[in-house]
């Protein structure tokens, strides 16, 4: 009978003494916890270590399994002497890919896609090397199966993790699954990715969910918080969580710290017995209700417009007979947001009207959100049935003469200095104070708090 264990481990090279040298003491809690993991894995003596890295070949539509010769070093971080190589577990990889294909979960190998074309080297990345450094200090008699998560829905990543468990059982292998990943990269003003108040909020929510292995709490973390946190470990966690499907899991957070503005968490997960309570259910954790057949007319127009544009390449005529009079006679700024499986897929808007009426404003911004948001690839026809829409209609911005006039739950704000401007919608999770709201808007505009700038406020009517 196969045995299973799992761990979340960060991958900052500074944890490795040969890289960090004196600076390693600044992450000593993480170092000590990583050594605990190494010692535990020695006691467990797994046949194979499966590790999920966020720094390998990440594709939008598939998970990637490394099938090159498994060797690598920390030469890029000034420590070429830290080098290692491993024997691949091709049997586990082949069984896993076979099952993934049966369940329509897309996978590729590094050789199939020739990852060098995408700028990736055929060597183990630091998302693998750093955790393995602490494991191989104590135990090395195992095969390795490294992979990079894809930008797939959490449900598919979880299902893939379940297939890891099934494949190990079929082959009667003892495995340890390592979710390699850091938490928010935006905890402090001097953080490498800049500061965002949602960074701390994300880390708190994630750590609390891991302490109880609470998948409902994990799934309920708002996509906007995840996006703004600038994390790189959540998808690794979802795959590892899937490996425990059907089990009651005993979890423990061994350490958490963020000395450089980046959250580092180390946690262990051990199955105790099989139990339905551990399973991930789309219905039990879904954060939005099933779309009703009769949509809000604002949302319906956004959906109809984008679907027609993507399928036929044209902007459809307005269905005037189906629209409320106010959409045809009033003008306003409009934001259209699109999500896919709870994840942001596009958001574009105008804070002042640029079209003849609200309906035309929705049409223009629906197309922009789906096809012109620079953060995402254009929406494809295959994705259309999976998209959820919301439409925010803005009141005309009014000048603000005192911060006492602001309320981040009620009012959005617009800050302006010359041609620079930054807008923040109201009632965003993690933005609880006027100071937080103002700092985020200024950062978006590239305006220093010490400069003179104008503030305007507006309200929003939200359609979803």
């Amino acid at each position: 009978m196969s045995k299973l264990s799992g761990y979340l481990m960060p991958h900052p090279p500074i944890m490795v003494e040969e890289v960090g040298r004196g600076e390693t003491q600044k992450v000593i809690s993480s170092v000590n916890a990583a050594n605990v993991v190494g010692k535990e894995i020695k006691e467990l003596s797994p046949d194979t270590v499966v590790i999920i890295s966020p720094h390998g070949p990440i594709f939008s539509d598939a998970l990637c399994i490394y099938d090159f010769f498994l060797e690598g070093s920390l030469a890029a971080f000034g420590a070429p002497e830290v080098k290692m190589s491993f024997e691949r577990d091709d049997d586990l990889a082949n069984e896993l890919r076979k099952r993934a294909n049966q369940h329509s979960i897309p996978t590729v190998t590094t050789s199939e896609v020739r990852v060098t074309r995408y700028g990736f080297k055929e060597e183990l990345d630091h998302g693998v090397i750093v955790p393995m450094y602490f494991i191989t200090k104590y135990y090395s008699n195992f095969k390795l199966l490294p992979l990079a998560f894809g930008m797939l829905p959490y449900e598919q990543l979880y299902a893939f993790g379940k297939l890891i468990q099934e494949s190990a059982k079929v082959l009667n292998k003892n495995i340890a699954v390592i979710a390699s990943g850091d938490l928010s990269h935006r905890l402090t003003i001097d953080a490498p990715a800049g500061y965002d108040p949602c960074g701390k909020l994300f880390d708190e929510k994630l750590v609390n969910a891991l302490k109880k292995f609470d998948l409902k709490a994990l799934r309920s973390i708002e996509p906007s918080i995840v996006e703004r946190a600038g994390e790189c470990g959540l998808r690794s966690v979802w795959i590892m969580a899937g490996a425990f499907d059907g089990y009651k899991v005993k979890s423990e957070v061994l350490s958490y710290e963020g000395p450089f503005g980046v959250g580092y968490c180390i946690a262990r997960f051990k199955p105790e017995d099989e139990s339905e309570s551990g399973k991930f259910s789309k219905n039990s954790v879904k954060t939005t209700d099933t779309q009703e057949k009769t949509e809000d007319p604002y949302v319906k127009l956004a959906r109809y417009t984008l679907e027609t544009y993507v399928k036929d390449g044209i902007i459809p005529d307005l269905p005037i007979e189906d629209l409320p009079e106010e959409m045809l006679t009033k003008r306003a700024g409009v934001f259209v947001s699109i999500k896919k499986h709870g994840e942001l897929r596009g958001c574009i808007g105008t804070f002042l009207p640029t079209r003849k009426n609200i309906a035309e404003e929705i049409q223009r911004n629906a197309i922009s959100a789906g096809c012109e948001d620079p953060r995402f690839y254009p929406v494809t026809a295959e994705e259309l049935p999976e998209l959820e829409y919301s439409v925010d209609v803005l009141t005309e911005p009014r000048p603000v003469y005192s911060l006492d006039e602001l309320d981040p739950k009620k009012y959005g704000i617009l800050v302006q200095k010359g041609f620079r401007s930054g807008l923040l919608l109201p009632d965003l999770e993690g933005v609880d104070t006027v100071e937080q709201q103002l700092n985020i808007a200024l950062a978006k505009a590239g305006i220093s708090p010490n400069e003179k700038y104008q503030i305007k406020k507006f309200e929003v009517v939200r359609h979803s």
Side-chain angles (χ1 to χ4, degrees):
M1 181 178 178
S2 65
K3 295 181 181 179
L4 172 68
S5 60
Y7 300 88
L8 169 62
M9 298 185 73
H11 48 249
I14 199 171
M15 285 178 60
V16 176
E17 181 65 35
E18 290 86 343
V19 175
R21 307 192 187 280
E23 293 291 293
T24 299
Q25 288 299 310
K26 294 181 180 179
V27 288
I28 195 63
S29 294
S30 298
V31 170
N32 291 339
N35 281 314
V36 169
V37 171
K39 293 174 183 177
E40 285 192 4
I41 288 181
K42 177 184 177 182
E43 294 299 316
L44 295 168
S45 301
D47 302 307
T48 301
V49 173
V50 180
I51 185 164
I52 308 115
S53 173
H55 289 289
I58 303 294
F59 297 103
S60 63
D61 55 355
L63 296 106
C64 185
I65 296 174
Y66 302 13
D67 65 348
F68 50 76
F69 184 71
L70 301 183
E71 64 179 1
S73 74
L74 293 179
F77 300 93
E81 69 274 22
V82 180
K83 54 186 177 181
M84 53 189 73
S85 62
F86 302 91
E87 182 181 356
R88 291 196 318 259
D89 191 335
D90 290 333
D91 291 338
L92 183 59
N94 292 336
E95 181 67 25
L96 181 55
R97 290 202 73 195
K98 180 183 75 174
R99 291 173 177 269
N101 184 57
Q102 292 170 349
H103 289 79
S104 300
I105 299 176
T107 63
V108 295
T109 64
T110 52
S111 61
E112 285 175 344
V113 295
R114 291 187 293 163
V115 293
T116 53
R117 295 185 303 167
Y118 300 96
F120 291 98
K121 296 180 180 179
E122 289 191 332
E123 60 184 39
L124 296 174
D125 53 83
H126 70 280
V128 175
I129 293 290
V130 173
M132 300 313 300
Y133 172 87
F134 291 95
I135 293 171
T136 55
K137 282 173 67 174
Y138 303 96
Y139 181 68
S140 58
N141 188 26
F142 59 84
K143 293 182 180 180
L144 189 67
L145 176 55
L147 59 97
F149 59 68
M151 302 305 289
L152 302 175
Y154 297 149
E155 291 87 352
Q156 278 195 300
L157 298 178
Y158 182 92
F160 185 81
K162 183 180 178 181
L163 298 181
I164 293 175
Q165 176 200 136
E166 293 178 1
S167 300
K169 284 183 177 180
V170 166
L171 299 173
N172 196 28
K173 288 179 178 284
N174 300 327
I175 64 170
V177 181
I178 309 293
S180 175
D182 299 336
L183 275 55
S184 173
H185 290 61
R186 296 170 178 166
L187 297 178
T188 59
I189 294 175
D190 58 349
Y195 172 71
D196 193 300
C198 283
K200 180 180 179 182
L201 185 61
F202 170 81
D203 281 15
E204 289 175 350
K205 287 178 176 288
L206 180 60
V207 171
N208 287 335
L210 296 180
K211 285 179 180 177
K212 302 175 182 178
F213 199 70
D214 187 343
L215 299 187
K216 290 183 180 180
L218 189 66
R219 190 63 177 90
S220 68
I221 301 176
E222 288 289 331
S224 60
I225 293 177
V226 176
E227 180 188 13
R228 290 171 53 188
E231 54 76 39
C232 73
L234 185 56
R235 282 182 163 79
S236 295
V237 169
W238 272 117
I239 295 174
M240 180 198 64
F244 293 102
D245 182 81
Y247 286 98
K248 182 179 179 181
V249 176
K250 181 179 180 181
S251 59
E252 181 181 359
V253 172
L254 301 176
S255 69
Y256 171 79
E257 60 183 345
F260 305 108
V262 179
Y264 305 138
C265 179
I266 298 182
R268 65 156 74 98
F269 307 90
K270 295 184 178 180
E272 293 188 319
D273 55 45
E274 291 191 273
S275 167
E276 291 294 318
S277 62
K279 290 190 176 182
F280 176 87
S281 166
K282 281 177 130 180
N283 294 329
S284 65
V285 301
K286 192 169 175 62
T287 58
T288 57
D289 294 329
T290 304
Q291 181 192 339
E292 297 180 357
K293 291 183 180 179
T294 56
E295 287 183 300
D296 177 286
Y298 290 75
V299 174
K300 188 174 183 179
L301 177 61
R303 180 188 299 277
Y304 167 65
T305 300
L306 183 60
E307 289 184 349
T308 302
Y309 185 81
V310 170
K311 291 176 180 177
D312 303 329
I314 61 171
I315 301 174
D317 294 334
L318 288 174
I320 296 176
E321 64 280 0
D322 297 330
L323 301 179
E325 182 181 356
E326 64 182 20
M327 292 178 68
L328 299 170
T329 59
K330 293 184 179 180
R331 303 179 72 230
V334 168
F335 273 75
V336 175
S337 300
I338 304 171
K339 291 183 179 180
K340 178 181 176 182
H341 303 294
E343 294 282 308
L344 185 68
R345 188 62 180 83
C347 179
I348 294 289
T350 47
F351 65 88
L352 291 174
T354 62
R355 303 283 164 166
K356 184 171 64 176
N357 53 38
I358 291 175
E360 290 189 7
E361 205 80 39
I362 291 173
Q363 284 194 306
R364 178 61 258 173
N365 290 337
I367 293 170
S368 295
C371 302
E372 299 169 8
D373 189 327
R375 297 169 295 180
F376 305 96
Y377 290 109
V379 164
T380 64
E382 292 74 21
E383 293 178 274
L384 293 174
E386 304 174 84
L387 303 182
E388 297 175 355
Y389 299 73
S390 64
V391 177
D392 289 344
V393 180
L394 282 58
T395 64
E396 185 175 351
R398 307 193 309 270
V400 171
Y401 302 102
S402 168
L403 296 185
D404 294 335
E405 301 175 39
L406 298 178
D407 178 348
K409 297 301 180 185
K410 182 178 181 180
Y411 299 112
I413 63 169
L414 172 69
V415 295
Q416 293 176 305
K417 169 74 174 180
F419 294 106
R420 292 174 291 165
S421 65
L423 181 144
L424 204 65
L425 295 172
D427 197 22
L428 298 177
E429 188 165 356
V431 183
D432 301 313
T433 68
V434 171
E435 182 181 13
Q436 289 175 326
Q437 186 184 44
L438 192 57
N439 286 339
I440 295 169
L442 289 172
K444 292 176 71 173
I447 300 172
S448 167
N450 298 323
E451 296 182 68
K452 290 184 178 181
Y453 53 87
Q454 293 179 320
I455 306 175
K456 293 182 179 179
K457 68 179 182 180
F458 57 88
E459 294 181 72
V460 161
V461 179
R462 199 155 274 165
H463 299 264
S464 60

